[in-house]
Amino acid sequence: MSDNFREDYEMLVPIEKLHRQYFGKGLADVLSEKDSIEDKIIYTVKFIEKITGLENVGEYFSVMLAVDAFFLNEDRHTNNIAVIRNEKTQKFRFAPIFDNGLSLLSDTNDLFNVRISGHRG
């Protein structure tokens, strides 16, 4: 089991929920209307910077996506990218990269359930 990365009075806020709270519409819905990956990333970075006051969001995304690529994480979406909000101070900080459960080809059961006839181990 992992240690809790939140301190007292802190709350994990997925960027999907954050967007819905401020704009009444989920981030995934808005991003689906954007034409290019670049437009989606720029919109997301600007949105997070504006609402949270965090800086270097683009760098955070670059590191997160590089880690995902290295570990073959196929499950990064707007509900498992988050920021942490301190309920007392109302300040935000970056959440550590989490939810890597579908990394390292962990979801390949169907590939390995093929029966090979005549094979002897």
Side-chain angles (χ1 to χ4, degrees):
M1 177 183 272
S2 298
D3 289 336
N4 189 345
F5 51 77
R6 292 178 296 132
E7 302 292 330
D8 290 339
Y9 306 106
E10 287 187 329
M11 159 183 197
L12 185 72
V13 183
I15 61 172
E16 177 72 19
K17 181 178 180 179
L18 189 67
H19 194 276
R20 190 177 313 274
Q21 286 177 325
Y22 281 87
F23 298 107
K25 186 175 185 179
L27 179 59
D29 292 335
V30 171
L31 295 180
S32 71
E33 299 167 0
K34 305 282 181 202
D35 291 328
S36 70
I37 297 291
E38 183 179 359
D39 289 342
K40 293 175 187 199
I41 292 170
I42 290 170
Y43 178 88
T44 303
V45 166
K46 286 183 178 181
F47 151 68
I48 294 171
E49 288 177 345
K50 178 180 179 182
I51 299 302
T52 66
L54 292 171
E55 297 177 352
N56 303 317
V57 174
E59 290 177 31
Y60 172 78
F61 269 53
S62 293
V63 169
M64 179 182 52
L65 295 174
V67 168
D68 283 347
F70 183 80
F71 288 105
L72 305 174
N73 184 14
E74 61 183 59
D75 190 35
R76 187 65 58 207
H77 50 80
T78 58
N79 280 307
N80 67 18
I81 302 169
V83 291
I84 296 175
R85 181 173 183 242
N86 184 304
E87 294 301 305
K88 279 190 168 183
T89 65
Q90 306 299 310
K91 293 191 177 185
F92 290 89
R93 67 182 177 93
F94 291 111
I97 298 170
F98 67 97
D99 194 356
N100 299 297
L102 290 180
S103 296
L104 299 173
L105 304 175
S106 63
D107 191 29
T108 57
N109 288 336
D110 291 338
L111 294 175
F112 296 110
N113 285 333
V114 176
R115 183 176 179 169
I116 302 173
S117 61
H119 177 73
R120 295 182 187 196

